[in-house]
Amino acid sequence: MSGSIKFSCFAEKALLSDGWARDVLIGIDDDGRIASLKRGAASGEAERLAGPVVPALADLHSHAFQRAMAGLTDVAAGGDDSFWTWREKMYDLVARLAPEDAEAIAAKLQVELMKGGFGRVVEFHYLHHGADGRPYDDTAEMSLRILSAATTSGIGLTLLPVFYAHSDFGGAAPTAGQRRFIHDVDGFLTLLHRLVQPCRTAGARLGLAIHSLRAATGDEIANILDAVPDHAPVHIHVAEQQREVEASLAHSGRRPVERLYDIADVDSRWCLVHATQTTTAEVRMIAASGAVVGLCPTTEADLGDGVFPAVDFLAAGGRFGIGTDSHVGTTVVDELRLLEYGQRLADRRRNRLASTAGASVARTLHDAALTGGAQAAGLPVAGIAVGASADLVVLDGASPYLSGETGDAILGRWLFGGIGQAVRDVMVGGRWTIREGRHARDGEIDAAFAAALTRLRA
Ligand SMILES: [Zn+2]
């Protein structure tokens, strides 16, 4: 139920859940939800928004701490650089991160994501323990740092504590570089239970993740899923790298996506992150299951993962959302543009992800990422609709690229026009977090981030 209206905003142009509308009065209640929408309304006393309004998207895949190494790993090691050599550099960072570093980096990242057009982040959080692998006095110490960062930044948060127990298929022992990630099933369930109340207090949603089929056995996955509510989102990295496919085949005779569907009832609560290495049959199986595929185009390009067969997946009715993962990109533009461009480069054709004549690619991608992202984040209602969280992005109405445009051309200009910073204001849960491109706490958040980087360089 929506409560009484606390305040209203007026948008000349707004992308509602059923399409573009003019002169929209958006009523927002005490809980930060949209309580009413009136089209063709007068602005009256409402705050007049300074440009076209679109729904903020959920970033469905983040490892916040990796933002600290963005741009520092592009140094050749001698011709054989890969995901796996990148991972060693990431483990070097993991070994040195203190809780205060993780919090400072996450707060900075979350502000950047909002400036990039996201209103929520789904944090796939696997850095749990101290540098020596021993749990902190409070087993949830590192998770609470992510919650605290989200309170500082004001971003919407879906927290996914990650189960991680092994280094490879077949229950192989973890490596030294993985010791901060490791739980047994009971320890992981204790962590989940510990986080229920803090997430409730902070207004965050709580789901869970299985790191990958390398990191968990089929029995462990089954035991965890038996013990948690069946409505919570479940995410997993799957089929990102060809080496994972080979290891899966060697272990079980099944490819990773096949193996996952063998051992779990994969349905709409699931998000399959990457799923890059998939066959046509697997693409159809994922689409039919209702699971969301979590595509992270800038990271997948950065790591040389490959190109997800998105044209086939959409043709099969598949659902996807976008994530910024390692955060070499932090904007909706970066991810959606590269998603489409990757398909164009592979296929040597244009406009690959909108198949109907006259359909806007930008609109098609934005709509899909909105609904897929909301599903993966565990949100019951997506977009600018009555009952949804008031998560709004106001684009810069003063930009000459945007001021005269209407309808999907606005999204086209923003996502494919290369017009620079177009996100002006962002509202999350009925509260302004970004105003005129700035966060009220930019100064302190930047200072804490810089101090964390200084400590990590030492
Ligand atoms: Zn990831």
Side-chain angles (χ1 to χ4, degrees):
M1 286 292 289
S2 300
S4 60
I5 292 171
K6 183 180 174 195
F7 68 101
S8 296
C9 301
F10 177 82
E12 278 184 30
K13 305 166 192 172
L15 180 56
L16 309 184
S17 56
D18 56 356
W20 285 98
R22 299 295 291 252
D23 299 333
V24 179
L25 200 57
I26 306 170
I28 297 166
D29 69 17
D30 284 330
D31 295 329
R33 297 193 178 283
I34 297 172
S36 66
L37 285 172
K38 286 185 194 136
R39 298 158 172 81
S43 59
E45 301 293 306
E47 178 180 354
R48 207 177 172 89
L49 303 179
V53 178
V54 298
L57 300 188
D59 175 343
L60 60 59
H61 191 66
S62 163
H63 312 289
F65 74 87
Q66 293 179 13
R67 182 63 176 150
M69 60 192 276
L72 297 183
T73 66
D74 303 86
V75 179
D80 195 24
D81 294 298
S82 69
F83 171 91
W84 307 101
T85 55
W86 171 87
R87 194 176 73 160
E88 289 308 312
K89 294 184 177 179
M90 187 265 282
Y91 284 179
D92 288 345
L93 172 63
V94 161
R96 288 175 291 127
L97 268 180
E100 58 266 34
D101 301 325
E103 180 172 345
I105 296 163
K108 171 65 174 168
L109 168 73
Q110 291 163 4
V111 168
E112 292 180 289
L113 294 177
M114 290 187 285
K115 291 177 179 177
F118 294 105
R120 170 168 293 265
V121 64
V122 181
E123 183 67 23
F124 193 108
H125 177 70
Y126 59 81
L127 181 45
H128 299 299
H129 308 309
D132 59 1
R134 278 191 294 208
Y136 289 102
D137 290 344
D138 183 339
T139 183
E141 168 77 31
M142 294 298 265
S143 300
L144 296 175
R145 295 292 184 155
I146 300 293
L147 282 171
S148 180
T151 300
T152 300
S153 72
I155 203 167
L157 176 67
T158 298
L159 181 63
L160 308 178
V162 176
F163 178 74
Y164 199 133
H166 308 288
S167 63
D168 214 334
F169 289 89
T175 66
Q178 295 163 341
R179 62 189 166 197
R180 301 190 72 176
F181 316 154
I182 302 302
H183 283 107
D184 59 19
V185 170
D186 286 347
F188 177 69
L189 294 175
T190 299
L191 171 65
L192 273 185
H193 185 69
R194 164 76 180 89
L195 285 167
V196 170
Q197 192 56 46
C199 283
R200 199 170 287 155
T201 302
R205 289 182 179 272
L206 179 63
L208 68 99
I210 308 296
H211 180 272
S212 58
L213 293 171
R214 300 190 305 275
T217 65
D219 285 347
E220 287 163 343
I221 293 171
N223 290 339
I224 288 167
L225 294 177
D226 277 350
V228 298
D230 61 10
H231 57 267
V234 181
H235 290 220
I236 186 169
H237 291 125
V238 70
E240 180 176 8
Q241 285 279 322
Q242 193 55 36
R243 187 165 121 184
E244 180 187 334
V245 177
E246 288 155 13
S248 182
L249 284 167
H251 169 65
S252 65
R254 302 284 277 166
R255 300 169 55 83
V257 171
E258 294 173 331
R259 168 94 180 134
L260 177 63
Y261 279 73
D262 285 347
I263 62 176
D265 290 326
V266 178
D267 59 15
S268 60
R269 71 191 289 214
W270 283 76
C271 176
L272 278 51
V273 180
H274 306 305
T276 314
Q277 319 297 331
T278 45
T279 63
T280 304
E282 288 171 324
V283 158
R284 292 195 186 124
M285 185 163 63
I286 298 169
S289 72
V292 172
V293 169
L295 299 172
C296 308
T298 60
T299 294
E300 289 155 6
D302 177 40
L303 298 179
D305 288 346
V307 179
F308 176 74
V311 174
D312 291 346
F313 184 63
L314 293 196
R319 305 174 193 183
F320 74 85
I322 49 168
T324 54
D325 194 355
S326 69
H327 311 298
V328 287
T330 57
T331 69
V332 170
V333 172
D334 286 343
E335 302 308 323
L336 289 182
R337 186 150 100 142
L338 186 55
L339 172 57
E340 166 69 20
Y341 280 5
Q343 306 294 312
R344 293 187 192 189
L345 289 164
D347 296 349
R348 303 182 192 182
R349 295 173 63 188
R350 299 193 72 242
N351 300 338
R352 301 305 293 141
L353 296 176
S355 55
T356 313
S360 154
V361 177
R363 173 70 184 281
T364 304
L365 293 175
H366 196 270
D367 280 358
L370 174 67
T371 53
Q375 180 177 321
L379 301 179
V381 189
I384 303 178
V386 172
S389 177
D391 298 350
L392 310 177
V393 169
V394 182
L395 298 174
D396 181 7
S399 162
Y401 293 105
L402 297 174
S403 58
E405 300 293 358
T406 58
D408 293 343
I410 293 167
L411 288 176
R413 288 286 204 190
W414 177 36
L415 299 178
F416 287 99
I419 64 172
Q421 177 59 24
V423 173
R424 184 184 192 278
D425 307 305
V426 179
M427 176 187 285
V428 177
R431 291 168 57 191
W432 290 112
T433 55
I434 306 296
R435 291 291 241 176
E436 297 184 46
R438 293 193 50 78
H439 189 283
R441 296 172 71 175
D442 268 342
E444 65 178 280
I445 289 168
D446 282 357
F449 179 62
L453 293 184
T454 300
R455 286 193 293 272
L456 292 168
R457 268 185 219 110

